[in-house]
Amino acid sequence: MQGNSLKGKTSLVTGSTSGIGLGIARKLAAQGSNIVFNGFGDLKEIEALQAGVRDEFGVQTAYHNADMSKPAEIEAMMKFAAERFGAVDVMVNNAGIQHVANVEDFPVEKWDAILAINLSSAFHTTRLALPAMKARNWGRIINIASVHGLVGSAQKSAYVAAKHGIVGLTKVTALENAHTGVTCNAICPGWVLTPLVQKQVDARAAQQGMSNDDAKKSLLAEKQPSGEFVTPEQLGDLAVFLCSDAASQVRGVAWNMDGGWVAQ
Ligand code: NAD
């Protein structure tokens, strides 16, 4: 779907060099929004990705390489976005990592990194984006949580804690701004086939001596009743809806798009 509902606005999507973040950035650009990309990767590939979005959707783009585990770099990124485009209208907190291990074996540095990247980074971008959003009385903060913001799974202590945390941050941010034109909501995806999940497919295939395809099917069969992956494009369309006027009274929700995972 292409339109101009976000024409002249600027969206900053953290972790948008890959997977869900890239899917969301492309859908926001398709509505006319300028995009500030962020995330790791090969600089030439990131430039090509930006050029593709500029050509396809006729919007402006920029890129900042801030590491979302580092508050000073997040501040630099927010300043860069404001200097480049005036302000951030749509803030999508998407960057995230995963590590899988039982609590007693969970590496302490992985716990700290997951909490910093998957949760604290959203606190920093939110506190820095809000003043300009409130001054213009319009803004959309969209936190990419997970079904793991709503339910748990074994071996994902840090991830589940961080994702439940970001659902809480979403509610409080929504309430504090309920009388303004700034909304804050969370999107809670089930399994999406991105590099983050492909690693878990690979681990399953290796541990259980399965083909890549069988590992995908078994991963889905355990949790996701539809038996199909959610796509970054579908999540991007939900983000576009949350930016729309129709969603101006959607505030503080944790909206799952999960093939039925949480309905069980
Ligand atoms: P991905 O690995 O494809 O992309 C992650 C992005 O985050 C990349 O652009 C990467 O460069 C960036 N990133 C990682 N660490 C960073 C850091 N320290 N600083 C800046 N950028 C960093 O993963 P994805 O599956 O697209 O995940 C995106 C978000 O969606 C994550 O928050 C994840 O928890 C969430 N999510 C994913 C799934 C899924 O099934 N894939 C399901 C639910 C929620």
Side-chain angles (χ1 to χ4, degrees), residues 14-21 38-41 66-69 94-97 117-118 144-147 159 163 188-197:
T14 69
S16 45
T17 51
S18 167
I20 294 170
N38 157 260
F40 298 145
D67 179 336
M68 288 299 115
S69 67
N94 165 79
I97 58 168
I117 297 166
N118 295 21
I144 306 308
S146 165
V147 285
Y159 190 86
K163 295 299 187 182
C188 298
W191 290 124
V192 187
L193 191 58
T194 65
L196 181 143
V197 163

Side-chain angles (χ1 to χ4, degrees), residues 126 130 141 143 168-178 182 184:
T126 299
L130 271 172
I141 299 170
N143 293 326
L169 173 66
T170 302
K171 291 175 181 170
V172 174
T173 306
L175 289 176
E176 287 180 3
N177 294 285
V182 180
C184 178

Side-chain angles (χ1 to χ4, degrees), residues 73-87:
E73 294 189 20
I74 297 172
E75 284 201 32
M77 176 184 75
M78 298 304 288
K79 202 163 162 228
F80 164 83
E83 279 167 8
R84 179 71 204 274
F85 291 112

Side-chain angles (χ1 to χ4, degrees), residues 31-182:
Q31 291 300 319
S33 176
N34 299 323
I35 303 291
V36 182
F37 285 91
N38 157 260
F40 298 145
D42 177 84
L43 282 181
K44 278 202 185 111
E45 280 172 26
I46 295 170
E47 179 42 47
L49 186 155
Q50 285 189 78
V53 166
R54 287 194 298 266
D55 291 350
E56 194 173 347
F57 304 115
V59 299
Q60 296 177 55
T61 69
Y63 165 71
H64 196 283
N65 67 355
D67 179 336
M68 288 299 115
S69 67
K70 306 210 164 102
E73 294 189 20
I74 297 172
E75 284 201 32
M77 176 184 75
M78 298 304 288
K79 202 163 162 228
F80 164 83
E83 279 167 8
R84 179 71 204 274
F85 291 112
V88 172
D89 301 288
V90 178
M91 180 69 234
V92 182
N93 292 307
N94 165 79
I97 58 168
Q98 176 63 287
H99 185 80
V100 180
N102 286 335
V103 174
E104 67 273 29
D105 302 324
F106 213 90
V108 170
E109 64 282 4
K110 287 280 182 202
W111 172 276
D112 288 343
I114 289 175
L115 269 286
I117 297 166
N118 295 21
L119 174 58
S120 298
S121 70
F123 159 67
H124 293 298
T125 58
T126 299
R127 73 182 170 81
L128 295 164
L130 271 172
M133 288 180 175
K134 284 163 99 164
R136 293 191 313 288
N137 201 33
W138 197 91
R140 294 289 188 263
I141 299 170
I142 301 175
N143 293 326
I144 306 308
S146 165
V147 285
H148 287 118
L150 304 170
V151 295
S153 288
Q155 299 201 304
K156 295 186 175 175
S157 53
Y159 190 86
V160 171
K163 295 299 187 182
H164 274 67
I166 205 169
V167 168
L169 173 66
T170 302
K171 291 175 181 170
V172 174
T173 306
L175 289 176
E176 287 180 3
N177 294 285
H179 294 293
T180 76
V182 180

